[in-house]
């Protein structure tokens, strides 16, 4: 006799609801997990963990489920909510602000900003941060990280800029091939219709943001927010005085950075010295 499927708890969270809806539509369609695997190209064991909310759905699964079950975007909508639930409450608030922002300006000194990371870099960075984590947990974090990158899509109205320290370009995660792909992505995004990236080289010397991470956000109605992030925690600032103070420091750093075309050339020069 086959094992009885684990009872689901869709009331616990959007992630649990995603899994419960997935099982309900699968069973309504008379499909086994193996049959669904053939349709969405995700292993039976992974699909089982998604149904029981033990694993976060990868970002490309929701549209495949909507297409398979004819659910008109339901799984995509549930995924967007579930992806936010992975993060601490304050970070969830940050993600909500990011989704509404018309302008985002960011500084990072050591790690490529999440919005700009390749999948390989994200996986290597999470593994370095927590070498004891399970593979499922790492993949869950990678999926959540990649889900944040929709704000850079070609159809977005958001204006995104980043100022990156040279140290970040030279600090490798995942080996030369991973870094080569990551640096190539940064070079491609130095100046597009929605993105601008600038590099602060070592010869600039010390500055007010050295060693930290800062995100500045401006909403369509003009409201402004700032977010500073450490290794495991972050601080969201909503009072105008604090935001303006950090904006002034950011502006001072930005004027010392290379312009986008020189930044692209600088990034490619770092790529050229990577081991083959």
């Amino acid at each position: 006799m086959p094992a009885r499927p684990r009872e689901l708890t869709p009331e616990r969270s959007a992630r649990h609801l995603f899994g419960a809806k997935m099982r309900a539509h699968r069973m309504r369609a008379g499909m086994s997990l193996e049959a669904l695997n053939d349709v969405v190209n995700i292993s039976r064991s992974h699909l089982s963990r998604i149904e029981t909310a033990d694993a976060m759905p990868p970002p490309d699964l929701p549209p495949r489920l909507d297409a398979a079950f004819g659910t008109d975007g339901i799984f995509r909508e549930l995924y967007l909510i579930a992806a936010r639930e992975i993060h601490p409450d304050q970070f969830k608030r940050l993600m909500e602000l990011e989704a509404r922002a018309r302008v985002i300006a960011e500084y990072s000194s050591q790690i490529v900003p999440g919005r700009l990371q390749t999948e390989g870099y994200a996986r290597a960075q999470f593994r370095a941060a927590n070498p004891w984590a399970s593979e499922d947990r790492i993949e869950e974090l990678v999926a959540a990280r990649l889900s944040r990158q929709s704000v850079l899509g070609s159809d977005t109205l958001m204006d995104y800029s980043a100022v990156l320290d040279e140290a970040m370009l030279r600090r490798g995660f995942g080996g030369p091939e991973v870094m080569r792909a990551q640096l190539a992505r940064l070079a491609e995004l130095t100046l597009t219709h929605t993105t601008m990236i600038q590099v602060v080289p070592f010869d600039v010397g010390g500055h007010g943001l050295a060693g930290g991470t800062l995100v500045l956000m401006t909403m369509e109605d003009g409201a402004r927010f700032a977010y500073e992030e450490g290794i495991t925690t972050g601080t969201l600032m909503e009072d105008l005085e604090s935001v303006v103070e950090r904006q002034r420091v950011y502006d001072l750093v930005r004027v010392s950075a290379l312009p986008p075309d020189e930044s692209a050339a600088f990034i490619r020069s770092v790529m050229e010295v990577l081991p083959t």
Side-chain angles (χ1 to χ4, degrees), residues 184-243:
R185 173 167 168 78
L186 294 178
E188 292 170 359
L189 295 175
T190 49
L191 189 60
T192 73
H193 70 288
T194 58
T195 64
M196 181 169 63
I197 295 174
Q198 296 175 257
V199 174
V200 181
F202 285 148
D203 58 17
V204 167
H207 56 77
L209 294 177
T213 297
L214 176 68
V215 182
L216 299 165
M217 296 162 285
T218 304
M219 306 295 117
E220 188 168 11
D221 62 2
R224 298 163 65 184
F225 304 87
Y227 184 80
E228 289 181 331
E229 191 169 46
I231 296 175
T232 59
T233 60
T235 302
L236 180 65
M237 287 155 280
E238 305 192 38
D239 62 293
L240 186 59
E241 182 178 355
S242 296
V243 175

Side-chain angles (χ1 to χ4, degrees), residues 7-13 16-17 20:
E7 184 175 350
L8 303 183
T9 53
E11 72 281 359
R12 288 186 58 188
S13 69
H16 287 78
L17 181 59

Side-chain angles (χ1 to χ4, degrees), residues 92-267:
K92 184 189 299 185
R93 169 69 169 153
L94 171 65
M95 294 175 70
E96 293 169 352
L97 292 172
E98 285 180 352
R100 292 168 40 211
R102 292 298 299 271
V103 179
I104 292 181
E106 186 163 12
Y107 170 81
S108 183
S109 63
Q110 299 294 329
I111 297 175
V112 174
R115 279 165 286 272
L116 303 176
Q117 290 182 5
T118 62
E119 181 175 343
Y121 183 99
R123 184 173 291 108
Q125 188 252 308
F126 282 126
R127 176 56 66 194
N130 188 357
W132 305 277
S134 68
E135 288 301 320
D136 283 348
R137 178 56 178 163
I138 294 297
E139 292 308 310
E140 181 178 299
L141 291 169
V142 170
R145 174 63 51 82
L146 297 180
S147 75
R148 296 176 62 197
Q149 299 182 358
S150 60
V151 296
L152 300 182
S154 59
D155 58 347
T156 183
L157 297 177
M158 193 193 74
D159 178 21
Y160 175 83
S161 62
V163 176
L164 309 177
D165 198 279
E166 179 180 347
M168 187 218 69
L169 304 178
R170 298 192 183 278
R171 186 175 303 282
F173 283 91
E177 290 306 311
V178 169
M179 284 305 298
R180 189 170 287 108
Q182 179 61 75
L183 293 173
R185 173 167 168 78
L186 294 178
E188 292 170 359
L189 295 175
T190 49
L191 189 60
T192 73
H193 70 288
T194 58
T195 64
M196 181 169 63
I197 295 174
Q198 296 175 257
V199 174
V200 181
F202 285 148
D203 58 17
V204 167
H207 56 77
L209 294 177
T213 297
L214 176 68
V215 182
L216 299 165
M217 296 162 285
T218 304
M219 306 295 117
E220 188 168 11
D221 62 2
R224 298 163 65 184
F225 304 87
Y227 184 80
E228 289 181 331
E229 191 169 46
I231 296 175
T232 59
T233 60
T235 302
L236 180 65
M237 287 155 280
E238 305 192 38
D239 62 293
L240 186 59
E241 182 178 355
S242 296
V243 175
V244 169
E245 178 183 342
R246 283 151 181 82
Q247 178 76 60
R248 294 177 68 186
V249 178
Y250 176 87
D251 290 343
L252 283 174
V253 176
R254 186 172 183 176
V255 297
S256 66
L258 300 174
D261 57 341
E262 294 181 27
S263 294
F266 190 95
I267 293 169

